[in-house]
Amino acid sequence: MKGKRVSLGPANSGTQVVARRVLEAAGLDPDNDVTKQQLSINESVQAAKDGTIDAFFWVGGLPTAGITDLAVSRPDMKMMDTSEVLPTMQSTHGEQYVSLDVDLAATYKLSGLIKTVGIANVLLVPDSMDEQLAYDITKTLFEKKAELEKVHPEAKKLDPALGQQVAPVELHPGAARYYKEKA
């Protein structure tokens, strides 16, 4: 990717944090080794279609509508295997980075399987949030799982066991109470 035009995601976004860490783990300086842009997912997809960027990073649930659109309109597009940077990312930034295999055929109607770096989505709330409110939000997510699945397929992965794995932060006491009651 050295010397390429690359969107790292919007300024101050989680996508940009992960993109910078991936590039650094690959031995690249995100500020000097790529011509960086800070585009949203929709802007990145359009720029890829227009040929004004060579690559872009995206961190989000699968499938992502913009990526699906790009895969349909540009079946020649390729997703890069980033698994080789995982050990460096884990040793530098923590075990929250995990190996993720994406079935491209099932997800984007592209051929193959891609190995990439994954990171869980977490719902962060302030410590000052009312305990009952945090409990109710957590309970609602699991009780309304079937309805959420209709909105986005990633909701199928909502799992109370995984929901408790939030390192390096701590569970809010309200969420912890919900999980304890369900155990």
Side-chain angles (χ1 to χ4, degrees), residues 46-65:
Q46 191 58 51
K49 287 179 181 180
D50 297 342
T52 58
I53 62 171
D54 300 303
F56 68 90
F57 285 86
W58 172 244
V59 176
L62 303 175
T64 299

Side-chain angles (χ1 to χ4, degrees), residues 107-125:
T107 309
Y108 294 115
K109 297 186 179 32
L110 297 170
S111 62
L113 176 81
I114 190 79
K115 293 185 174 297
T116 189
V117 174
I119 187 164
N121 291 312
V122 294
L123 176 59
L124 297 173
V125 300

